[in-house]
Amino acid sequence: MIKDNLIDVEKRINDACKRGNRSVNDVRLIAVSKTKPEEDIMEAYNCGIRDFGENKVQELLRKKENLPSDIKWHMIGHLQTNKVRQIVGNAELIHSIDTIKLADAIEAESIKKNVITEGLLEINVANEDSKYGFTPDLDPEIFQHISKYTNLRIRGLMTVAPAVEDPELNRAVFRQLKALAVDTKAKNIDNIRMDFLSMGMTGDYEIAIEEGATFVRIGTGIFGSRIYEVK
Ligand SMILES: *Cc1c(COP(=O)(O)O)cnc(C)c1O
């Protein structure tokens, strides 16, 4: 079941890369395993998947402890400042840096642990009240501030697009995130690189790839629907 889903997802990723004139090597699949049991993760692991996404620190750490050490764990959910101590040093990439306060806390903890942490700035492109993230009109002061960090490296941008019936409706959102990354890169700010664009979920990842995604975060399309939805 998970194996069949993965074959389907990988084919769709390939096709979307062709349509978007992208190399498949530039698009990384993150299997979003939140709420799913470790057996499901092992099934995907045995199909060759090594990148998994979780949205709760406790759950990520528990799974990390029990599962193979070559898994790369991506923190994709809203992160509270009081959980920063636990996640720093344990995530491949923190996709969901949504405030300067949080970024400061990650920087401070990374210095304390003497590790380099890589992260993305989450952008609330569609300006939805229900979503976390910076507004797309990123204040230059934010960049000035971030450029002084020594142990937190910003590698790109992430967005959670609106839930829509027709994924075409999110194309403009993905385009806007890509444009913001291009503009930001052109500013040549120290410590801010724009290598990664984390965008696209089960309902809209093909469009996101056509528009430049380098990470797609797919849960339902691989593991089936979740018993309970967690934000
Ligand atoms: C749950 C979640 C996903 C995966 O959603 P699906 O629609 O199941 O693919 C992707 N990104 C984030 C931030 C999530 O919380």
Side-chain angles (χ1 to χ4, degrees):
M1 169 74 164
I2 288 172
K3 187 179 176 191
D4 295 333
N5 290 345
L6 275 170
I7 290 170
D8 179 60
V9 165
E10 276 161 0
K11 182 183 181 307
R12 285 167 184 270
I13 289 175
N14 264 295
D15 292 348
C17 283
K18 283 196 194 110
R19 285 194 303 274
N21 231 334
R22 311 270 322 277
S23 159
V24 276
N25 299 321
D26 293 339
V27 180
R28 227 156 110 188
L29 168 62
I30 299 175
V32 176
S33 48
K34 62 187 184 192
T35 81
K36 294 296 177 182
E38 289 165 10
E39 304 86 82
D40 287 9
I41 296 176
M42 281 314 295
E43 214 173 313
Y45 180 91
N46 289 329
C47 296
I49 301 296
R50 292 294 179 272
D51 291 275
F52 290 88
E54 291 284 339
N55 68 341
K56 292 217 150 73
V57 173
Q58 237 59 46
E59 188 175 345
L60 184 154
L61 294 177
R62 174 173 52 78
K63 288 172 172 171
K64 179 173 179 161
E65 182 149 331
N66 293 338
L67 293 168
S69 59
D70 61 343
I71 290 181
K72 297 180 172 104
W73 295 98
H74 295 259
M75 179 60 196
I76 62 170
H78 176 60
L79 186 55
Q80 285 164 315
T81 314
N82 64 6
K83 299 280 169 63
V84 164
R85 193 177 53 79
Q86 294 160 287
I87 197 71
V88 165
N90 282 310
E92 167 83 1
L93 186 67
I94 299 175
H95 292 236
S96 43
I97 301 178
D98 52 13
T99 59
I100 283 294
K101 181 170 167 251
L102 177 63
D104 282 348
I106 296 170
E107 160 75 355
E109 184 63 25
S110 303
I111 290 171
K112 201 169 143 197
K113 289 206 174 94
N114 197 23
V115 294
I116 297 295
T117 302
E118 304 212 308
L120 308 178
L121 299 180
E122 179 169 355
I123 311 291
N124 185 0
V125 176
N127 260 315
E128 294 175 281
D129 286 344
S130 59
K131 295 262 164 74
Y132 295 104
F134 294 94
T135 53
D137 54 340
L138 276 174
D139 191 327
E141 277 177 32
I142 292 175
F143 292 125
Q144 284 313 315
H145 187 89
I146 287 173
S147 69
K148 298 195 183 83
Y149 290 157
T150 56
N151 289 49
L152 169 59
R153 301 214 169 122
I154 297 301
R155 299 291 307 273
L157 306 177
M158 177 271 218
T159 198
V160 179
V164 287
E165 285 278 316
D166 176 5
E168 263 310 320
L169 295 173
N170 279 339
R171 189 180 292 279
V173 170
F174 300 138
R175 256 185 209 169
Q176 218 181 314
L177 195 71
K178 170 77 186 184
L180 185 58
V182 170
D183 286 353
T184 305
K185 195 184 169 102
K187 292 192 169 95
N188 260 319
I189 308 160
D190 283 351
N191 193 37
I192 298 181
R193 288 165 56 184
M194 287 288 135
D195 317 311
F196 299 140
L197 274 185
S198 173
M199 59 187 195
M201 305 170 30
T202 296
D204 55 19
Y205 66 93
E206 294 160 271
I207 309 275
I209 289 170
E210 289 172 30
E211 297 302 332
T214 69
F215 283 107
V216 288
R217 311 176 307 264
I218 303 180
T220 316
I222 295 171
F223 298 109
S225 58
R226 288 176 290 275
I227 314 245
Y228 56 100
E229 291 283 338
V230 220
K231 235 199 134 267

